Amino acid sequence: MHRKIQLLFAVLLIGGLMLGGCTPDQASVSSPTSPATQTTSPTTTPTTQTSSPQMNLPVLEGTATVVMTVNSSPITIEVDGKNAPVTAGNFVDLVQRGVYDGLVFHRVVRQPEPFVVQGGDPQSKNPNFPPQRLGTGGFIDPNTGSERFIPLEIKPKGAAEPVYSQTFEKARISTPPQLPHTRGAVAMARSQQPDSASSQFYFALADLPFLDGSYAVFGYVTDGMDVVDQIQQGDRIESAQVTQGAENLRGGQ
């Protein structure tokens, strides 16, 4: 019975990560005490990738360091383009564009167990935007006028290339990912569509192995995890800057 309860709790938590790109009337946002609520699929259906995507998207060839300031304190993130080049490239490009500056952490789940701190909805830059609708937006690329989606990208441990557009369960891969959901992992939120991540990301507040193979980790907090632990729902990202490795970005702004 205890195992069944744990499994149900994990399913509810995972459901809460399925965010991004929903119509306002479909969307709902979890409160810190209600991790079960989830949003629905994007209104724009992303294209499914079955192999390494062609580089219309930014790619990080190597690593980069991003320093995010929250509550006047720095959080240092090591972004891993060696193992998640498209996901890492997207994040670094958005940081370079200033997309994350001023955005809110709209979802914080610590009870009954530490889970995630999530933000990155560009709509949250507007202080008058209804809080209950946060978690529904993504980055609108000014070059296309449309929301930028990136493919689900997870590299099995020891593999030469990531798997694109499929969860490990769907692809029948039993190998653990190269970048697991350990405490301090930084990963992309998405809807039920695998290729629907855009700008929303989350910090893992604990080891979350039940997310491995389903959501794309692209880096880790290397300093300032104590700052992440203190983030409250509604706190804003004061700034985010690439302090090292910007030269490794290809195809960005």
Side-chain angles (χ1 to χ4, degrees):
M1 177 63 73
H2 180 65
R3 178 175 177 151
K4 288 183 178 178
I5 292 172
Q6 284 185 321
L7 180 59
L8 177 60
F9 179 67
V11 169
L12 294 178
L13 288 175
I14 292 171
L17 287 177
M18 294 206 172
L19 301 172
C22 307
T23 57
D25 58 337
Q26 291 174 321
S28 57
V29 179
S30 300
S31 70
T33 56
S34 178
T37 310
Q38 68 181 48
T39 59
T40 54
S41 302
T43 53
T44 303
T45 302
T47 302
T48 299
Q49 305 274 357
T50 56
S51 59
S52 180
Q54 298 302 311
M55 294 306 109
N56 294 337
L57 296 168
V59 174
L60 188 67
E61 298 177 347
T63 61
T65 303
V66 170
V67 176
M68 189 172 285
T69 302
V70 180
N71 294 324
S72 301
S73 298
I75 301 165
T76 303
I77 303 167
E78 185 77 9
V79 184
D80 189 345
K82 295 178 180 178
N83 294 300
V86 176
T87 313
N90 176 69
F91 183 76
V92 170
D93 179 55
L94 296 182
V95 170
Q96 293 277 60
R97 292 171 180 265
V99 168
Y100 292 117
D101 297 350
L103 299 192
V104 163
F105 288 101
H106 61 271
R107 183 168 185 260
V108 178
V109 181
R110 292 195 176 91
Q111 299 295 333
E113 296 180 13
F115 185 46
V116 299
V117 170
Q118 185 167 325
D121 184 342
Q123 299 171 124
S124 67
K125 190 168 288 192
N126 177 2
N128 297 318
F129 191 84
Q132 67 272 20
R133 286 171 53 190
L134 292 178
T136 65
F139 169 64
I140 304 300
D141 191 330
N143 295 323
T144 64
S146 300
E147 187 168 348
R148 177 201 284 173
F149 295 111
I150 61 171
L152 181 63
E153 175 187 53
I154 309 175
K155 185 177 180 181
K157 192 170 185 178
E161 298 290 338
V163 172
Y164 288 95
S165 302
Q166 296 184 83
T167 64
F168 278 16
E169 181 181 15
K170 182 77 171 177
R172 298 184 179 180
I173 294 173
S174 57
T175 307
Q178 185 70 41
L179 303 178
H181 278 82
T182 53
R183 173 173 156 81
V186 190
M188 297 301 291
R190 61 174 178 83
S191 79
Q192 294 179 4
Q193 295 283 343
D195 297 346
S196 58
S198 181
S199 60
Q200 292 187 50
F201 69 96
Y202 58 89
F203 296 113
L205 296 177
D207 292 353
L208 304 172
F210 54 89
L211 297 181
D212 286 346
S214 294
Y215 293 84
V217 173
F218 61 88
Y220 295 90
V221 174
T222 57
D223 192 32
M225 195 61 199
D226 57 324
V227 180
V228 176
D229 286 334
Q230 297 302 314
I231 292 174
Q232 301 297 318
Q233 188 168 329
D235 286 350
R236 290 188 179 273
I237 300 169
E238 293 160 26
S239 66
Q241 297 180 324
V242 181
T243 59
Q244 293 182 2
E247 69 279 4
N248 295 328
L249 183 66
R250 302 287 180 266
Q253 178 173 282

